[in-house]
Amino acid sequence: MATALRCLRHLPALLCRSPFPAIQGLPRAPAGCPALLLHGCRQCVHQMLLTRQLATKKAKGKGQTQARVNISAGLVEDIINLEEAKEDMQAVVESLKEDFSRNLSVRTSAGALDHIMVMTKDGKFPLNQLGQISQKSPQLIIVNMTSFPESTAASMKAIRESGMNLNPDMDGTIIRVPIPKVTREHRESLAKLARQSTNKSKEVLRKVRSKSINQVKKFKNKVSEDTIWLLEKQIQQMADDTAAEMDKLLAAKTKELL
């Protein structure tokens, strides 16, 4: 507690010596202000463009703390919408979750076939829009193609090439899809697909990060170098956190499959 109070006692003076143009020239905070609770100090804080915050996150392999940037999105909304960038990154994670759930399961269900894309003469369509899918038994899925019989062969091909280790057979407009026994080889194949999907998602994430950084760089002649640097660091932190979330999803899925 004593250490914290000593740090807070020196904080007003540090703020007044800040290199940020936004707070240079502001009145010095009253001596001994303990926690920026006085009105004048609050005003200084609100006028600061950016703030830095130390986090107890260890640097990889070094056992040292590394600085993290904590930027109020509202203070930089004229430069970039950080909340939107975060949402775009999270959307990549949600897409990966959906892919894992839909396509990478050791137990194939009727629902797993719903979104298999079928190439027809009229374009691509999800299988569940062309045929009626039902689970006849735990070992057999039936796809009734009566509504679009001309797409039966294309649907057969799409199911076979779905990467789900399925080998359908056709009886008129009825496609029978036996559910294969789960083998070690199949589990390993799914785990490999999970890694590939994660890597593809990280590529999409890098594009989102690059787009955001390029947006920030457009303002390099309008704001300070410190502002640009801190925003780029914040965006990189967001991307790193998102990639770490993907790695956790991959580890959990791999454990489930193997």
Side-chain angles (χ1 to χ4, degrees), residues 156-176:
M156 283 272 293
K157 180 180 179 182
I159 294 170
R160 188 175 291 112
E161 296 177 354
S162 65
M164 299 172 66
N165 194 35
L166 301 175
N167 188 26
D169 60 75
M170 184 170 57
D171 181 10
T173 58
I174 300 297
I175 299 176
R176 302 179 187 275

Side-chain angles (χ1 to χ4, degrees), residues 119-138:
M119 176 60 76
T120 72
K121 63 180 182 180
D122 297 318
K124 279 188 175 182
F125 296 92
L127 181 61
N128 64 350
Q129 291 186 13
L130 301 174
Q132 183 178 358
I133 306 172
S134 59
Q135 186 127 15
K136 186 73 172 179
S137 72

Side-chain angles (χ1 to χ4, degrees), residues 6-237:
R6 283 199 299 272
C7 293
L8 290 171
R9 193 176 300 122
H10 292 293
L11 185 54
L14 291 174
L15 288 175
C16 290
R17 292 199 299 271
S18 170
F20 290 100
I23 65 170
Q24 287 180 349
L26 292 175
R28 182 180 295 275
C33 174
L36 298 177
L37 295 177
L38 297 181
H39 177 74
C41 296
R42 266 204 316 271
Q43 192 174 26
C44 293
V45 173
H46 287 310
Q47 291 186 53
M48 287 181 66
L49 181 61
L50 299 168
T51 60
R52 299 190 188 192
Q53 179 180 3
L54 291 179
T56 56
K57 181 179 179 182
K58 293 186 177 180
K60 292 182 179 179
K62 296 183 179 180
Q64 301 174 346
T65 58
Q66 66 178 21
R68 285 177 63 88
V69 178
N70 182 22
I71 301 174
S72 173
L75 293 176
V76 294
E77 60 185 2
D78 291 338
I79 301 175
I80 186 172
N81 189 328
L82 286 176
E83 291 298 329
E84 184 177 300
K86 186 175 181 179
E87 289 173 1
D88 288 344
M89 292 183 184
Q90 192 59 37
V92 182
V93 176
E94 295 303 319
S95 178
L96 181 63
K97 288 181 180 178
E98 185 178 355
D99 182 42
F100 280 180
S101 175
R102 182 188 299 169
N103 301 321
L104 300 174
S105 174
V106 293
R107 297 294 178 186
T108 303
S109 63
L113 305 186
D114 285 352
H115 300 285
I116 291 178
M117 299 304 295
V118 181
M119 176 60 76
T120 72
K121 63 180 182 180
D122 297 318
K124 279 188 175 182
F125 296 92
L127 181 61
N128 64 350
Q129 291 186 13
L130 301 174
Q132 183 178 358
I133 306 172
S134 59
Q135 186 127 15
K136 186 73 172 179
S137 72
Q139 291 78 37
L140 182 65
I141 295 175
I142 298 294
V143 184
N144 189 332
M145 298 295 299
T146 303
S147 299
F148 295 93
E150 69 278 7
S151 299
T152 304
S155 297
M156 283 272 293
K157 180 180 179 182
I159 294 170
R160 188 175 291 112
E161 296 177 354
S162 65
M164 299 172 66
N165 194 35
L166 301 175
N167 188 26
D169 60 75
M170 184 170 57
D171 181 10
T173 58
I174 300 297
I175 299 176
R176 302 179 187 275
V177 187
I179 300 177
K181 182 180 179 181
V182 181
T183 63
R184 178 69 182 180
E185 290 75 14
H186 181 48
R187 290 176 180 272
E188 291 175 349
S189 176
L190 290 177
K192 183 178 179 180
L193 289 175
R195 288 192 297 272
Q196 293 174 353
S197 295
T198 303
N199 288 336
K200 289 180 180 178
S201 295
K202 286 183 177 181
E203 289 178 8
V204 176
L205 174 63
R206 284 192 286 270
K207 291 179 181 179
V208 174
R209 179 203 61 193
S210 296
K211 178 182 176 182
S212 298
I213 289 179
N214 288 337
Q215 173 65 24
V216 169
K217 287 182 177 179
K218 292 179 181 179
F219 290 81
K220 65 181 180 180
N221 295 326
K222 299 180 182 180
V223 298
S224 68
E225 292 182 4
D226 280 342
T227 301
I228 297 296
W229 182 85
L230 286 171
L231 279 170
E232 289 180 353
K233 186 173 177 64
Q234 174 75 3
I235 293 167
Q236 184 62 53
Q237 281 175 188

